[in-house]
């Protein structure tokens, strides 16, 4: 305690005569709370996968994780990182944690409840720690993969295609707007009433700032970026796993990228036969940031790249002629080629591509009495490439094309109807099978 003769004491002198002294502010209790702390450190080692796969193991990772392992601070009375009242030392300080573990991924073949046979990855994680313990089975879906996960098998690559196909089913694209854009502007559909969604298509009320339908641009270029990501990840995987055959997935990604550019140039550029030298859309062949602003290529340049992608993909899909519901195969590639060549007025090449599909007998047109019922199921004998929407898996619900075209029920749905001109055209042939899908004249 401090006295006149003991001035180096650490505690002040008590004075019972001044009861307010303890309430005075003083720098004596002000401390330097700066500190240096090792918050987290992680070491891991992944064993060679080609060797492990021979014994049915997909991957093995050994790891150590430590938190709050080291702290240095001038203030010793309490943890310097706790709340504002830490000087009293009432708060519970952060503890040190040491975690050692081994993560093993096994390969199992499972049959899912859908029509497809999928290889699912069953990951069993065993965590051994000094402060906590976790022991469980983590079943990862067999038809999807995190975009940041490295590709090690052809299945991994194909699962990335699943994500791309689902993105193409956005209501801004094949899920709704692309079909409505053509049918409404062509006068095949009319709007039920103004202000019920997308009626600007019918009224042609579109400018660069109002009802621009920019979702086409952003969604399709996002899909192109996803296509490029798949191709780039496969390029890395081919170096690491030279024995794995990625041809099918590369062919699908290239074909999809061509289709995406084809849709864009038809939406935002002049037709090829009208003015192929005019500006079309930017060609994007690598992954880019969201704020990337490339220059527009000419319509001719875009079509040249589209055909190059399709031809490169055709060679890679030569062994993929069997039906693969929900995915692009060799004949789907040819079908897209035929559409592209028709748009260019290159009818000879369009005929060659279409004739190969027809001559294969892999697909056949519906008989008239089967056409109506074909709408109740997916992947019919007429379907060459079909993007599938499964109930409970990103189902678009009230944002779907079906909702916008359905018969109105209780004031819901039915934003667009078949136009009188279209109905009159159908009525010219009473045997036209399309009569079957119309419920009543609204």
């Amino acid at each position: 305690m401090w006295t006149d003769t003991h001035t180096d004491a650490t505690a002040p002198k008590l004075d019972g005569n001044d009861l307010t002294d303890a309430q005075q502010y003083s720098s004596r209790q002000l401390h330097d709370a700066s500190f240096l702390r090792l918050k987290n450190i992680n070491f891991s080692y992944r064993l060679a996968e080609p060797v492990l796969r021979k014994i049915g193991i997909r991957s093995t990772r050994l790891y150590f994780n430590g938190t709050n392992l080291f702290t240095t601070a001038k203030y010793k009375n309490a943890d310097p990182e706790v709340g504002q009242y830490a000087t009293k030392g009432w708060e519970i300080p952060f503890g040190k944690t040491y975690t050692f573990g081994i993560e093993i991924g096994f390969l199992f073949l499972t049959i899912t409840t859908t029509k497809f046979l999928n290889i699912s990855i069953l990951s069993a994680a065993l965590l051994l720690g000094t402060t906590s313990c976790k022991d469980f089975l983590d079943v990862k879906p067999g038809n999807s993969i995190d975009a940041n996960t490295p590709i090690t098998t052809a299945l991994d690559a194909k699962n990335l295609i699943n994500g791309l196909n689902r993105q193409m089913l956005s209501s801004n694209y094949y899920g709704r707007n692309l079909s409505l854009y053509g049918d409404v502007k062509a006068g095949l559909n009319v709007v039920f009433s103004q202000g019920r969604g997308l009626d600007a298509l019918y009224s042609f009320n579109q400018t660069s700032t109002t009802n621009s339908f920019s979702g086409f641009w952003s969604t399709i270029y996002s899909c192109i970026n996803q296509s490029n990501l798949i191709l780039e990840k496969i390029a890395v995987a081919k170096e690491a796993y030279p024995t794995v055959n990625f041809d099918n997935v590369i062919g699908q990604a290239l074909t999809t990228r061509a289709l995406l550019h084809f849709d864009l140039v038809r939406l935002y550029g002049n037709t090829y036969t009208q003015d192929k030298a005019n500006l079309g859309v930017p060609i994007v062949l690598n992954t880019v940031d969201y704020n990337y602003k490339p220059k527009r290529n000419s319509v001719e340049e875009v079509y040249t790249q589209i055909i190059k992608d399709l031809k490169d993909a055709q060679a890679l899909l030569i062994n993929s002629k069997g039906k693969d519901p929900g995915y692009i195969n060799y004949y789907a590639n040819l079908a897209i080629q035929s559409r592209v060549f028709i748009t260019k007025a290159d009818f000879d090449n369009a005929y060659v591509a279409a004739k190969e599909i027809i001559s294969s007998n892999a697909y056949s047109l519906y008989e008239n009495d089967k056409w109506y019922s074909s709408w109740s199921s997916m992947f019919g004998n007429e379907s060459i490439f079909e993007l599938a929407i499964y109930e409970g898996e990103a189902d678009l619900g009230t944002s779907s094309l079906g909702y916008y075209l359905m018969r109105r029920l209780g004031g819901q749905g039915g934003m667009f109807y078949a136009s009188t001109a279209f109905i009159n055209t159908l009525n010219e042939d009473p045997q036209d099978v399309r009569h079957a899908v119309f419920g009543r004249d609204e």
Side-chain angles (χ1 to χ4, degrees):
M1 181 178 295
W2 188 91
T3 63
D4 292 339
T5 59
H6 189 198
T7 57
D8 58 349
T10 59
K13 178 181 178 181
L14 293 177
D15 187 351
N17 295 322
D18 187 357
L19 299 180
T20 64
D21 182 65
Q23 301 176 6
Q24 303 302 315
Y25 288 104
S26 171
S27 61
R28 179 178 180 276
Q29 300 299 333
L30 182 64
H31 300 274
D32 183 354
S34 59
F35 66 95
L36 176 66
R37 166 168 287 166
L38 180 60
K39 290 284 292 183
N40 184 277
I41 187 170
N42 182 278
F43 296 101
S44 65
Y45 178 75
R46 191 178 297 276
L47 301 183
E49 294 181 3
V51 176
L52 296 172
R53 287 178 179 276
K54 295 179 181 179
I55 58 175
I57 296 178
R58 181 178 184 270
S59 62
T60 298
R61 185 172 71 96
L62 307 174
Y63 61 90
F64 163 76
N65 185 71
T67 57
N68 301 318
L69 299 185
F70 170 79
T71 303
T72 178
K74 292 182 178 180
Y75 184 61
K76 306 297 183 181
N77 295 340
D79 192 316
E81 196 176 354
V82 296
Q84 62 176 323
Y85 301 111
T87 53
K88 297 178 180 178
W90 292 347
E91 293 83 356
I92 299 175
F94 297 108
K96 294 182 179 180
T97 303
Y98 305 86
T99 304
F100 304 85
I102 177 172
E103 185 178 272
I104 305 174
F106 299 97
L107 293 177
F108 292 93
L109 187 64
T110 62
I111 300 177
T112 67
T113 56
T114 64
K115 298 178 181 178
F116 306 102
L117 186 67
N118 292 324
I119 296 179
S120 299
I121 301 168
L122 182 64
S123 294
L126 305 176
L127 304 182
L128 308 176
T130 59
T131 59
S132 64
C133 178
K134 182 164 65 171
D135 183 5
F136 61 92
L137 292 179
D138 177 20
V139 182
K140 297 181 180 179
N143 60 353
S144 64
I145 186 174
D146 191 303
N148 296 318
T149 302
I151 292 176
T152 60
T153 67
L155 176 64
D156 289 343
K158 193 169 184 178
N159 284 339
L160 286 177
I161 293 291
N162 291 341
L164 172 58
N165 288 349
R166 182 169 295 181
Q167 194 172 357
M168 292 172 66
L169 284 168
S170 162
S171 59
N172 284 323
Y173 195 19
Y174 278 109
R176 185 188 64 199
N177 287 4
L178 188 64
S179 295
L180 284 177
Y181 188 87
D183 289 347
V184 175
K185 283 185 172 292
L188 303 179
N189 287 346
V190 296
V191 67
F192 173 78
S193 65
Q194 294 288 332
R196 292 186 178 271
L198 303 181
D199 52 80
L201 292 174
Y202 179 72
S203 61
F204 285 78
N205 179 21
Q206 290 179 258
T207 68
S208 60
T209 57
T210 304
N211 302 318
S212 65
F213 291 91
S214 60
F216 283 129
W217 184 276
S218 59
T219 299
I220 299 177
Y221 270 113
S222 177
C223 291
I224 289 175
N225 213 39
Q226 178 73 1
S227 300
N228 292 332
L229 175 64
I230 293 172
L231 293 170
E232 291 172 5
K233 289 174 76 69
I234 291 177
V236 174
K238 288 179 68 175
E239 293 290 330
Y241 307 97
T243 60
V244 179
N245 188 342
F246 293 105
D247 286 356
N248 174 272
V249 180
I250 297 174
Q252 289 195 63
L254 287 172
T255 302
T256 302
R257 187 171 72 181
L259 175 61
L260 296 166
H261 280 98
F262 181 51
D263 288 340
L264 278 169
V265 75
R266 289 186 297 150
L267 284 167
Y268 293 101
N270 288 337
T271 62
Y272 190 91
T273 54
Q274 178 187 13
D275 188 0
K276 65 182 181 181
N278 208 325
L279 291 177
V281 294
I283 298 172
V284 180
L285 305 180
N286 302 290
T287 53
V288 295
D289 295 329
Y290 71 94
N291 57 353
Y292 178 62
K293 296 180 180 179
K295 294 181 179 179
R296 294 169 67 184
N297 294 88
S298 70
V299 171
E300 183 176 23
E301 289 172 334
V302 177
Y303 272 85
T304 298
Q305 181 61 47
I306 290 170
I307 294 171
K308 180 183 184 305
D309 276 351
L310 289 172
K311 290 296 185 181
D312 289 346
Q314 179 184 356
L316 295 168
L317 293 169
I318 191 66
N319 294 319
S320 301
K321 294 185 177 181
K323 290 186 177 180
D324 195 3
Y327 298 96
I328 290 173
N329 67 358
Y330 177 80
Y331 295 117
N333 174 282
L334 289 180
I336 297 171
Q337 282 193 48
S338 184
R339 291 182 61 196
V340 172
F341 286 127
I342 286 176
T343 309
K344 288 185 62 182
D346 184 351
F347 301 117
D348 289 339
N349 278 315
Y351 173 77
V352 169
K355 186 175 185 298
E356 184 173 354
I357 301 172
I358 296 170
S359 300
S360 72
N361 294 319
Y363 308 91
S364 60
L365 298 178
Y366 295 118
E367 299 294 333
N368 283 359
D369 60 343
K370 301 291 194 304
W371 182 83
Y372 173 71
S373 61
S374 71
W375 289 96
S376 63
S377 60
M378 297 186 294
F379 312 125
N381 51 279
E382 209 176 89
S383 175
I384 301 176
F385 172 50
E386 185 173 335
L387 292 167
I389 298 179
Y390 298 98
E391 186 176 358
E393 294 186 18
D395 191 336
L396 296 177
T398 57
S399 297
S400 67
L401 177 64
Y403 184 81
Y404 272 60
L405 298 180
M406 65 181 280
R407 175 180 172 180
R408 290 183 64 78
L409 297 173
Q412 299 297 316
M415 281 70 163
F416 289 92
Y417 290 73
S419 67
T420 300
F422 179 64
I423 295 295
N424 289 340
T425 301
L426 286 185
N427 289 335
E428 294 176 3
D429 181 5
Q431 302 302 317
D432 194 312
V433 295
R434 290 174 291 179
H435 282 290
V437 299
F438 291 93
R440 66 175 182 176
D441 188 350
E442 300 276 359

